[in-house]
Amino acid sequence: MTRAAQPAFTLRAGALCCEDVPLAEIAARFGTPTYVYSRRAIEAAYGAYAHALAGRDALLCFAIKANSNLAVLNLLARLGAGFDIVSGGELARVLAAGGDARKTVFSGVGKTTVEIAQALAADILCFNVESAAELDMIETVAAQLGKRAPVSLRVNPDVDPNTHPYISTGLRENKFGVAYADAVALYRRAAASRHLEVVGIDCHIGSQITALAPYVDAADRVLDLVDALARTGIRLRHVDFGGGLGIRYRDEEPPAPGALVRALTDRMAARGHADKTLLLEPGRSLVGAAGALLTRVTLLKPGPAKNFAVVDAAMNDLLRPTLYDAWMDVQPVQPRSAEPIRYDVVGPVCESGDWLARDRELALAAGDLLAVLGAGAYGMSMASNYNSRPRAAEVMVDGASVYLVRRREQIEELFAGESVLP
Ligand code: LLP
């Protein structure tokens, strides 16, 4: 637990380091832009959940969408994690990383029949079913394959997580989950099917949540349904309260994983459900603080209204600032003592929305290195090739060692699958 208290990125002798490695060394060796992850920070974040869950029947399913690098998945698999996937591609990554399909839950509103068949063949833990139509599809595919599909309904508890509208998912107007009022009838249908096996119940109310109250509200709503189902003779093995725990980007004060786990397990015990397996699907809180995007200042561009620091990373590498107006901490890798100037830190992409940070006081010169902190979640996993930019390299630091865990994409790879007309 003491390891969790030590941040992954610290200033040592005037140089920003990841664990024991100066970021400047990583830039010299691997170039920029590069995502840098701390093994120790990922292990500490996982440990914080695992410690609070010790002695309890529980499973942490890492939401792969937050960071799908094989090294990250493999590290978590070695720690005992399961996975929350939302596509056939993510299932393939779990298997390639040595993850356990039997510890994998499959969420998402638009699973295709091909993906459903793949997941059944892999023998996943369960489908988190998001609609009546999907339940029918799963039943049909399972019947064709002569299998019984394990299902858990993702119910929409209609609870406001008080987060950015793009990342709240458990409100009535969101596309996610089965409407609360329809859940019992749908469970009865599933329970009556020879090709479906009801195993659990699931909810996910949003992401970057910084308070416990919405979780406890959602948990109560879900446990009400568990009780209602028990009255109709349907017993569940697990309850899954989703992911969504926030991290500190600026001054947020999210609850610690242990506090979340305690709030949920207390609620389960108080309501007589201590016997159920508890599943959680954290993404951001396991990897967010463990990663930084390392970038180099290409040039400085003073202007009449704003000063721009143009860097070699852009919105295609890190979409969060422009998509969610997200504030992410930008730190110089080798801080200068000069007087700071106010800059917008922008990339070279041809969009005014291509910014990583705005109005930051920084002392900079062309060629300087910057680190965007808190970029371990929803950074590389949301990267694109917009403006025909190859995707960044990814490295993982372990103490004083650095491992390249994804080489920088080559330009030729960008159009390798394309062809011209005959
Ligand atoms: N489970 C389900 C069903 C989800 O939809 C999500 C995230 C998670 C688990 C993991 O949530 P987390 O623990 O990471 O909050 N790209 C956005 C976040 C989108 C989250 C979508 N769902 C961002 O960069 O803020």
Side-chain angles (χ1 to χ4, degrees), residues 63 65-66 84 107 130 154 167 169 204 206-208 242-245 281-285 320 324 377-378 382:
K65 61 174 82 75
D84 169 48
S107 307
E130 306 225 12
R154 173 174 177 177
I167 52 177
T169 54
H204 177 80
S207 196
Q208 185 55 15
L245 188 61
E281 302 168 359
R284 188 190 318 265
S285 54
R320 301 195 71 255
Y324 313 113
Y378 305 109
M382 293 177 76

Side-chain angles (χ1 to χ4, degrees), residues 183-225:
V184 173
L186 210 54
Y187 265 109
R188 296 183 71 154
R189 220 168 95 195
S193 165
R194 277 197 302 137
H195 292 289
L196 299 173
E197 183 189 8
V198 171
V199 295
I201 191 163
D202 170 46
C203 74
H204 177 80
I205 55 175
S207 196
Q208 185 55 15
I209 300 170
T210 53
L212 288 179
Y215 275 107
V216 176
D217 290 350
D220 269 326
R221 302 268 292 156
V222 167
L223 294 175
D224 287 345
L225 272 180

Side-chain angles (χ1 to χ4, degrees), residues 275-289:
D275 58 325
K276 311 267 179 316
T277 304
L278 170 61
L279 264 64
L280 292 171
E281 302 168 359
R284 188 190 318 265
S285 54
L286 287 179
V287 292

Side-chain angles (χ1 to χ4, degrees), residues 59 277 360:
L59 181 64
T277 304
R360 304 297 169 88

